[in-house]
Amino acid sequence: MPIAARQTIPEPSWPIQSFKTTNFTVPALNISRSGLTEQGLLFFAPLGSPPTIAAPLIMSDDGQLVWHGLVQSYPTAALGFQAQKFGKNEVLTYWNGVSDNVSQQRGYGAISILDKTYTEIHRVSLGHGSFLTTNNATYDSYLDVHENFITDRGTMIAVATNVTRADLRSVGGPKDGWILDCLLYEIDIKTNEVKFSWSAYNHVNEIPLDRSLYPLHGTGYNQSVPWNYFVMNSVQLFGNDYIVSSRYYCSVYSINSKGGLNWHLQGQTGGDFHLGSGAQFCYQHHVRAESSKSNGLLLHMHNNKNDDLGASVGSTTGLLLSLDLSTRQAALKTSLFNPADQVYSLFMGSYQPLNNGHVFLGHGYIPQLVEFDAAGTEVYAATFGTINVTFSYRAFRQAWLGAPSTLPDAYACASSNGTTAVYMSWNGATAYTAWAIYGGKCADDLRLMNFVDRAGFETQADIGNVAFVQVGAIEGGGTPMRSSVVFVQQKC
């Protein structure tokens, strides 16, 4: 997937939410709801234009901000934002780094892991090894944007890329050509020790270069523009095997713990399988094995069906396949799309099965979040930007309880009618339900002036004419968590 954080894009006219209590800017959601949805909040990380919206976000179904994260360490982007489980604890994860070259679909960074207070507790990085980049630049960490998957054995599944020499004569290129090799890593989260690694190019005999659907188009002749032939855009640990998706091979591979290939599913020809009617796919993202049985498994994916060269045009779907490993049959179980609002997504995307049989799709390059019910009917859709301008690599609907270590924020100003307008918010807090408002003529002599119910991310209320204000977020019958005291601005 391309990283657009450094692209110069015309400013869109998409509406943006802004606030009095904080300088966050958040895209407004254009929402269509036609049925019951699964519970949970919306997790995504918009990028594109305007650049001020680039941050991991948690929002409610009705478009209210819940948490706005800040990109840490690197100035460019945060991708793959989601909630996961690390041990017994719920955590937030996202890749955070810089783009080396937009057109080459890669980045260099690390993976942040945050606890429920939004404090970074681990940073998974890959700083060692002989990595070569297009311009010989070096980085603190070389992890790529495409995956951050926590396993039940305390490791992170991640990927990286490496500019590598390769013989490209089989695809019409030079003998001493250049490729972008794709690498899989399993890394211990607490120690950053690499537990397993795998290179696509090291298995060129099993995965020949001439099977790639991505043409050279003048690339591969020098280090600065290597041939990006594979694109490893998702990896999952499934049992003791790794499920690997390659965008430009339109393929899914099962790799065993010794690095060998168990099987290969190709979305057009079948590979090791026979494709049943409707089981075809290509340029897919976010492939996951959903469940297994004695002779097979279920495999789901965001089936983009479109590439960045215009060679394939098809309606993007959420695809669920059944694989029989004994007979090598691949059969269609479900293909999800809205025939009245078809999507054509060139890059990115995600597929998330929900507990009630529903499925949640993030359409990647198309800034749309969609939920389907168990019958395959669209019950929720939210658009968060202008098409081909704003996007989110993946998106999820997930439960989350946030308890920020920061204090609530308050802003107050004098209204023309002689009252004081008070605005209050608490970034990331999910459990509080009401606000206490304190005011007075002196900062050290405040009295309780009002109670109001929470109303979205930022609540507004009016009180009498005062010079100083403080607010307190109330959870249950507990003591209010108070903000700092703020001076009332002279004019709203």
Side-chain angles (χ1 to χ4, degrees):
M1 52 133 303
I3 304 172
R6 292 184 177 177
Q7 287 180 296
T8 301
I9 304 174
E11 195 78 6
S13 56
W14 193 263
I16 297 297
Q17 300 180 59
S18 59
F19 308 97
K20 296 286 189 180
T21 53
T22 176
N23 61 0
F24 300 153
T25 53
V26 178
L29 300 188
N30 184 357
I31 298 166
S32 171
R33 188 194 300 268
S34 56
L36 295 176
T37 62
E38 173 65 292
Q39 294 183 347
L41 299 168
L42 306 178
F43 287 67
F44 62 111
L47 285 172
S49 186
T52 53
I53 66 170
L57 301 179
I58 304 175
M59 298 185 75
S60 63
D61 266 14
D62 58 358
Q64 288 289 332
L65 179 64
V66 175
W67 181 69
H68 186 291
L70 299 177
V71 176
Q72 303 173 16
S73 297
Y74 296 95
T76 318
L79 294 97
F81 176 54
Q82 62 188 304
Q84 299 193 66
K85 199 160 189 176
F86 178 46
K88 297 181 179 180
N89 299 317
E90 299 294 329
V91 295
L92 302 176
T93 66
Y94 59 90
W95 178 91
N96 176 206
V98 296
S99 161
D100 177 57
N101 184 308
V102 171
S103 65
Q104 288 297 315
Q105 309 176 29
R106 63 178 175 270
Y108 300 100
I111 297 168
S112 293
I113 302 178
L114 281 59
D115 65 12
K116 68 178 182 179
T117 71
Y118 305 98
T119 301
E120 185 176 84
I121 56 173
H122 296 289
R123 189 168 179 81
V124 181
S125 62
L126 184 69
H128 69 281
S130 301
F131 287 96
L132 185 65
T133 61
T134 55
N135 58 3
N136 291 315
T138 59
Y139 299 91
D140 292 335
S141 178
Y142 290 86
L143 293 181
D144 184 46
V145 305
H146 284 98
E147 191 58 88
N148 69 92
F149 177 89
I150 295 180
T151 74
D152 58 6
R153 54 197 193 195
T155 56
M156 177 72 74
I157 303 297
V159 299
T161 60
N162 192 31
V163 178
T164 304
R165 283 282 195 180
D167 185 345
L168 300 183
R169 288 177 294 178
S170 65
V171 292
K175 178 181 179 181
D176 297 320
W178 296 87
I179 63 167
L180 196 65
D181 188 16
C182 287
L183 310 169
L184 151 64
Y185 289 93
E186 183 175 0
I187 302 172
D188 185 277
I189 289 174
K190 293 182 178 179
T191 66
N192 275 329
E193 177 187 355
V194 174
K195 296 294 188 179
F196 177 82
S197 64
W198 184 87
S199 154
Y201 185 59
N202 283 351
H203 293 80
V204 69
N205 291 332
E206 298 163 289
I207 308 175
L209 296 178
D210 61 6
R211 302 292 174 84
S212 174
L213 299 181
Y214 192 74
L216 283 175
H217 272 290
T219 66
Y221 288 84
N222 55 63
Q223 177 185 340
S224 61
V225 190
W227 182 36
N228 194 15
Y229 77 104
F230 193 82
V231 182
M232 187 184 297
N233 59 24
S234 73
V235 183
Q236 173 197 19
L237 180 68
F238 188 68
N240 290 316
D241 300 325
Y242 302 88
I243 305 297
V244 173
S245 169
S246 167
R247 169 174 166 80
Y248 287 134
Y249 278 71
C250 294
S251 290
V252 181
Y253 302 92
S254 173
I255 298 167
N256 62 44
S257 59
K258 295 183 179 180
L261 265 63
N262 297 322
W263 49 259
H264 167 215
L265 174 66
Q266 210 282 340
Q268 301 297 298
T269 66
D272 296 333
F273 293 81
H274 175 268
L275 295 176
S277 176
Q280 291 76 20
F281 62 89
C282 208
Y283 308 112
Q284 75 290 339
H285 286 75
H286 199 219
V287 177
R288 294 287 191 256
E290 188 172 315
S291 63
S292 62
K293 47 189 177 180
S294 58
N295 63 337
L297 53 84
L298 295 178
L299 203 68
H300 68 245
M301 67 186 70
H302 185 265
N303 180 23
N304 293 71
K305 277 186 167 179
N306 296 272
D307 69 9
D308 45 333
L309 298 173
S312 175
V313 177
S315 178
T316 298
T317 64
L319 199 64
L320 177 63
L321 302 178
S322 175
L323 302 188
D324 190 313
L325 300 180
S326 58
T327 64
R328 297 298 169 121
Q329 299 289 315
L332 174 67
K333 294 284 287 184
T334 308
S335 180
L336 297 172
F337 68 101
N338 182 353
D341 185 19
Q342 297 189 50
V343 170
Y344 300 86
S345 180
L346 296 180
F347 310 102
M348 306 172 267
S350 53
Y351 180 118
Q352 179 195 9
L354 301 174
N355 292 331
N356 58 359
H358 288 210
V359 171
F360 190 80
L361 299 181
H363 279 310
Y365 198 60
I366 303 300
Q368 192 175 73
L369 318 175
V370 183
E371 182 174 338
F372 294 87
D373 66 15
T377 301
E378 181 182 292
V379 293
Y380 179 87
T383 304
F384 58 88
T386 304
I387 292 176
N388 298 329
V389 173
T390 305
F391 59 89
S392 178
Y393 177 45
R394 292 176 180 169
F396 301 91
R397 178 187 291 285
Q398 297 176 296
W400 176 252
L401 294 176
S405 57
T406 55
L407 297 176
D409 293 300
Y411 176 85
C413 55
S415 299
S416 58
N417 61 4
T419 63
T420 301
V422 181
Y423 300 81
M424 54 216 102
S425 68
W426 195 5
N427 186 33
T430 59
Y432 78 94
T433 57
W435 290 99
I437 305 174
Y438 309 85
K441 297 299 182 182
C442 299
D444 58 356
D445 185 22
L446 304 180
R447 61 185 178 86
L448 178 64
M449 301 193 69
N450 201 0
F451 287 106
V452 295
D453 291 335
R454 178 181 183 172
F457 177 76
E458 186 175 79
T459 302
Q460 191 273 326
D462 294 324
I463 59 173
N465 186 8
V466 295
F468 294 91
V469 165
Q470 186 181 44
V471 300
I474 303 170
E475 177 184 347
T479 302
M481 177 62 72
R482 296 199 186 195
S483 69
S484 299
V485 177
V486 297
F487 178 72
V488 176
Q489 302 300 308
Q490 290 185 356
K491 186 176 181 182
C492 287

